[in-house]
Amino acid sequence: MSNWRGNDFDGQGSGNTYYSRRDRRESDNQSSRNRNNRQHGDNNFASNDQNGLVIYINSSKVGKVVGKGGSKIRELQDISQASIQIDRNKCDDGNTAITITGETEAQERAKQLIEKLVGDDRYSNQRDTENNYATHNHTKSNYSTYSDNHYQTSGERNEECNWSANATPCDVAAFDWNIAAKQYDEYKTKLWSTKGPIKKEFYFEDPTIASMSEEDVAKFRRENNKIEVKLVFDQEQDASANVKIPNPIQTFDQAFSHYPDIMEEIRKQGFEKPSPIQCQSWPILLSGKDMIGIAQTGTGKTLAFLLPALIHIDGQETSRSEQTGPNVLIMAPTRELALQIEKEVGKYKYRGIKAVCVYGGGSRKDQISIVERGVEIVIATPGRLNDLVQAKVLDVTCVTYLVLDEADRMLDMGFEPQIRKTLIDVRPDRQTVMTSATWPQGVRRLAQSYMKDPIQVFVGSLDLAAVHTVTQKIFMVDEEEKTEMLESFFSEMGPDDKVIVFFGKKCRVDELSSELALKGVNCQSIHGGRDQSDREQALADIKSSYVRILLATDVASRGIDIEDITHVFNYDFPHDIEEYVHRVGRTGRAGRTGESISLMTRKDWSHAKGLISILEEASQEVPEELYKMAERYEHWKEKKAQEKDDARSYGRGPPRRSRYDNDRF
């Protein structure tokens, strides 16, 4: 048998097609014998011509060989390295002659490709097409390993490689996905059976809460920032009919009276009462149910899922020493949010539970060292998490409590593939928590895929809205006026004012930061292009009031909790209206008031309608020019839609873009 080893190849042909010298000689001899043995009168047959090899095919199949615009015949010539000419004048009994010229092996390759194309398999016992030599990851039997004087028949090869009878030269072996899925399910079932049971229920309902009437519950929810609670997919899931939504608690003691250590930690923080989302979330999560929490940032969502997580870890039947990985996994979209969650976790010392934050930009070596020493909570950004899981440093098969924090932001940043990849290795009977500031279709799809009968908790409204503690001001300006207005704002800042200025581009952040430094203005900057240590230092400086001006991109629009930010200045209007809401939410936090200043130019007119809705909902002043801008944009959209309809009616393509399309005024 001739094995296909690297030093046996002679790189002839194109692409990934290789031919053994020994097999090529055998192919020449065998092909010559076969040509001499063929009988004239077959639909497909060949003969030697002084100018090359002549084969005949059924005239009705010539079109297959030529292809549209000659594309197929060019492809056959490229693959075989032979010249192929069709002679329609040389016909015999409904057959058309094809003359193939070139080197002997090239002629043979072309003939075999043509025979394969027109569907005649009678001579497939001599085929040396690229199928036999493809460098795909087939099993050893898929490669050409022939004896010196024998070639496998087409039937033998098809049976061994499980190739389709209609396969093209580039087809790979057929794959039965049903069998693979069944084997995968069996493997996972066996794997999860070795992990032991999960305990989820830790809630002891206070008698006062249990005795609340439906009217009392509805009144409490209405008076606490319009809490809305419902089953997410109750119309689609019959099992949801058996899911009871717990009544909201009103005090810390009603939730944690059976956990004195937790109560002690809460007292240390000096909280007076639970926030609205905490009142409803704690009974749900302590009862072991999946939950989706939708509320604006700064409403206490982190503590809402964190305290039940601590109780969940300590209450598992499998001891921590027997675990090969963490019990709790918290995924966050940005490094800043992940670090902030880690900081929040560090405030609560409960039964020796340890946590680590793993994120891109941080020291991978240090993160691995902490993970290997053993932790119960992992807070991670999706990229670094996948890195450590693939490196087998982090075992997520022990995760029994999963949190997807700021899920909408993770999807906006394109992390859905990484999230889904990670969740493959997390046991399916886990408890899952998802938090989000909005409820877009992508978040719904993710919830439906990975949560079981989740209960949805809304705080406020499902409609996009900015916090009402912020005064929102909109200014219509030209692009060249922006810098002057920003400098004027800086000159009028009071001694206790603190501002985050948002930009659309990292380069503009760097430019203005340098300009302010030259003018002696003390500021800091943060964006995705800065080193992690610099980003952390920027946040530390603004929090400590060492600087009172932070220049930022949307990296800072979510998950950064700086309670005493008094102003948000939108130098560049954000790319979408959801991001505007999150930027505004950086001020007016923790019961304080704040002010948002946004500069809008002509190019921002697509956001006018959405911005008007947000301003009106929060009872803010709406500039008359903003209404006019929204009307012009709607009129422009209608005009473009009509032009497209007219173009389709006349069978033309869409109209060419005019150089005046950007001149919207």
Side-chain angles (χ1 to χ4, degrees):
M1 302 293 287
S2 61
N3 290 323
W4 293 98
R5 301 185 184 275
N7 56 5
D8 291 333
F9 286 94
D10 183 15
Q12 301 289 331
S14 62
N16 290 328
T17 305
Y18 301 92
Y19 302 92
S20 162
R21 299 184 182 92
R22 178 180 183 182
D23 285 343
R24 197 160 56 236
R25 289 195 301 272
E26 286 296 325
S27 176
D28 293 342
N29 295 335
Q30 182 68 23
S31 298
S32 177
R33 290 194 296 271
N34 286 335
R35 285 197 299 272
N36 292 334
N37 290 335
R38 293 181 184 172
Q39 299 296 317
H40 185 78
D42 290 341
N43 283 339
N44 295 357
F45 54 90
S47 64
N48 284 317
D49 186 275
Q50 62 180 358
N51 295 321
L53 174 66
V54 179
I55 66 173
Y56 290 80
I57 67 169
N58 191 300
S59 298
S60 64
K61 298 182 179 180
V62 170
K64 282 189 174 183
V65 177
V66 177
K68 187 175 181 180
S71 59
K72 194 63 184 179
I73 197 169
R74 287 195 295 271
E75 179 185 339
L76 294 172
Q77 291 180 127
D78 289 341
I79 293 174
S80 65
Q81 297 296 297
S83 176
I84 302 173
Q85 300 291 329
I86 296 176
D87 189 353
R88 294 185 182 273
N89 295 321
K90 188 185 290 187
C91 299
D92 185 17
D93 296 334
N95 297 312
T96 297
I98 297 179
T99 302
I100 306 172
T101 58
E103 295 183 1
T104 303
E105 57 265 31
Q107 293 180 26
E108 194 66 26
R109 288 198 296 273
K111 177 181 69 66
Q112 292 159 1
L113 289 171
I114 293 171
E115 288 175 347
K116 178 70 175 179
L117 182 64
V118 299
D120 191 336
D121 292 329
R122 280 174 292 171
Y123 307 122
S124 59
N125 62 321
Q126 30 172 326
R127 288 177 184 160
D128 296 329
T129 65
E130 69 215 87
N131 278 347
N132 300 338
Y133 309 102
T135 58
H136 296 302
N137 293 326
H138 296 161
T139 59
K140 184 176 181 181
S141 61
N142 290 353
Y143 292 96
S144 302
T145 53
Y146 307 122
S147 63
D148 290 344
N149 298 309
H150 175 70
Y151 283 75
Q152 290 175 295
T153 66
S154 175
E156 290 171 337
R157 194 177 308 120
N158 283 341
E159 181 178 358
E160 185 172 8
C161 300
N162 195 25
W163 283 1
S164 167
N166 297 321
T168 65
C170 294
D171 281 339
V172 296
F175 186 82
D176 194 326
W177 287 101
N178 292 327
I179 294 176
K182 183 179 179 181
Q183 292 174 342
Y184 176 77
D185 290 339
E186 291 173 352
Y187 163 75
K188 285 296 183 181
T189 301
K190 183 178 180 181
L191 173 64
W192 303 137
S193 66
T194 65
K195 296 297 180 179
I198 299 177
K199 184 178 179 182
K200 299 181 183 179
E201 297 185 20
F202 302 97
Y203 186 49
F204 300 91
E205 190 172 32
D206 187 276
T208 304
I209 300 303
S211 63
M212 291 177 70
S213 66
E214 292 184 6
E215 292 77 13
D216 292 338
V217 170
K219 181 182 178 182
F220 178 84
R221 288 172 176 163
R222 186 170 57 252
E223 292 176 349
N224 282 267
N225 210 2
K226 299 178 182 179
I227 301 172
E228 295 182 24
V229 190
K230 68 175 184 178
L231 298 168
V232 185
F233 309 115
D234 53 344
Q235 295 179 348
E236 305 171 20
Q237 300 176 355
D238 295 335
S240 295
N242 299 320
V243 178
K244 181 182 181 298
I245 298 176
N247 294 336
I249 55 94
Q250 301 174 21
T251 67
F252 292 112
D253 192 64
Q254 289 170 345
F256 303 112
S257 60
H258 287 74
Y259 305 98
D261 292 349
I262 291 288
M263 285 298 301
E264 180 62 27
E265 293 301 315
I266 292 174
R267 292 190 188 97
K268 290 179 182 177
Q269 302 305 317
F271 295 126
E272 295 180 2
K273 65 176 183 178
S275 70
I277 194 170
Q278 293 166 358
C279 289
Q280 187 61 72
S281 297
W282 284 334
I284 293 172
L285 295 178
L286 289 171
S287 298
K289 297 176 174 60
D290 287 4
M291 190 195 81
I292 301 169
I294 300 179
Q296 297 299 318
T297 55
T299 54
K301 285 186 291 186
T302 303
L303 200 61
F305 63 71
L306 176 58
L307 296 186
L310 298 176
I311 294 171
H312 177 97
I313 294 169
D314 188 59
Q316 296 308 305
E317 296 179 4
T318 305
S319 66
R320 296 184 215 168
S321 60
E322 298 176 26
Q323 300 280 4
T324 58
N327 279 117
V328 173
L329 173 61
I330 303 171
M331 298 179 69
T334 65
R335 308 170 190 176
E336 283 72 27
L337 179 56
L339 289 167
Q340 182 174 299
I341 296 171
E342 181 189 37
K343 182 179 179 181
E344 193 70 16
V345 172
K347 295 178 182 178
Y348 300 89
K349 309 299 181 184
Y350 185 71
R351 307 291 176 85
I353 292 174
K354 297 182 291 296
V356 64
C357 183
V358 297
Y359 56 93
S363 170
R364 188 174 185 272
K365 181 179 179 181
D366 292 345
Q367 292 170 8
I368 290 175
S369 177
I370 296 172
V371 169
E372 290 179 339
R373 288 200 297 268
V375 292
E376 288 74 41
I377 301 175
V378 169
I379 306 120
T381 53
R384 178 55 59 89
L385 176 64
N386 271 334
D387 172 29
L388 298 187
V389 171
Q390 289 181 351
K392 299 189 183 303
V393 172
L394 185 58
D395 180 8
V396 294
T397 62
C398 294
V399 170
T400 54
Y401 189 99
L402 172 71
V403 179
L404 302 177
D405 198 18
E406 300 279 12
D408 53 344
R409 178 64 166 163
M410 283 197 281
L411 296 188
D412 289 343
M413 296 174 69
F415 286 134
E416 184 170 358
Q418 289 94 327
I419 294 171
R420 291 184 178 274
K421 186 175 182 181
T422 298
L423 296 190
I424 290 175
D425 295 321
V426 179
R427 55 190 298 171
D429 56 346
R430 64 185 177 266
Q431 184 175 1
T432 307
V433 186
M434 183 183 292
T435 76
S436 182
T438 57
W439 185 232
Q441 187 59 41
V443 176
R444 300 182 193 198
R445 184 178 64 249
L446 202 64
Q448 199 161 16
S449 299
Y450 295 107
M451 304 184 80
K452 181 179 180 182
D453 299 331
I455 296 175
Q456 209 170 44
V457 179
F458 297 113
V459 175
S461 170
L462 263 182
D463 298 327
L464 196 63
V467 290
H468 289 195
T469 55
V470 178
T471 301
Q472 302 174 61
K473 295 181 179 180
I474 309 296
F475 295 95
M476 318 302 293
V477 301
D478 293 327
E479 190 70 34
E480 57 270 17
E481 297 177 311
K482 285 184 175 181
T483 302
E484 182 181 347
M485 291 191 68
L486 182 60
E487 291 177 349
S488 176
F489 171 82
F490 287 156
S491 65
E492 296 173 2
M493 285 179 63
D496 297 324
D497 288 345
K498 192 180 290 189
V499 62
I500 300 179
V501 185
F502 285 102
F503 298 85
K505 296 182 178 180
K506 295 182 285 187
C507 61
R508 188 65 185 120
V509 173
D510 292 336
E511 289 171 2
L512 191 58
S513 179
S514 299
E515 291 173 10
L516 292 176
L518 291 173
K519 293 179 181 179
V521 178
N522 198 16
C523 68
Q524 264 287 13
S525 64
I526 180 172
H527 58 68
R530 299 201 72 192
D531 290 340
Q532 183 60 32
S533 58
D534 294 333
R535 291 166 66 168
E536 292 177 16
Q537 186 61 53
L539 290 178
D541 288 348
I542 191 74
K543 287 180 179 180
S544 67
S545 297
Y546 178 75
V547 300
R548 296 186 294 115
I549 299 172
L550 178 65
L551 312 180
T553 59
D554 281 330
V555 163
S557 68
R558 301 199 195 193
I560 293 180
D561 189 10
I562 306 172
E563 294 182 353
D564 57 347
I565 294 293
T566 59
H567 292 79
V568 164
F569 195 108
N570 288 314
Y571 183 93
D572 294 317
F573 202 84
H575 295 298
D576 55 67
I577 205 66
E578 288 85 359
E579 207 60 47
Y580 170 82
V581 171
H582 289 293
R583 288 184 181 183
V584 171
R586 293 309 97 202
T587 185
R589 301 173 70 85
R592 294 178 171 85
T593 59
E595 184 175 87
S596 167
I597 299 170
S598 300
L599 308 183
M600 291 192 74
T601 64
R602 295 181 176 188
K603 65 182 178 62
D604 301 317
W605 69 337
S606 63
H607 305 303
K609 185 177 179 180
L611 180 58
I612 289 171
S613 298
I614 290 172
L615 294 173
E616 290 179 341
E617 191 277 336
S619 301
Q620 302 291 312
E621 180 182 353
V622 183
E624 186 64 28
E625 184 57 33
L626 191 62
Y627 285 115
K628 294 178 181 179
M629 181 186 280
E631 291 174 4
R632 284 193 291 268
Y633 180 70
E634 292 302 314
H635 177 71
W636 179 81
K637 282 204 307 181
E638 292 172 3
K639 180 182 176 182
K640 287 300 177 184
Q642 186 61 48
E643 288 177 353
K644 287 184 179 179
D645 290 341
D646 293 343
R648 293 190 189 99
S649 299
Y650 288 103
R652 295 182 283 108
R656 293 181 62 187
R657 181 177 176 85
S658 167
R659 66 189 180 91
Y660 298 106
D661 279 354
N662 286 329
D663 189 8
R664 293 149 184 170
F665 290 83

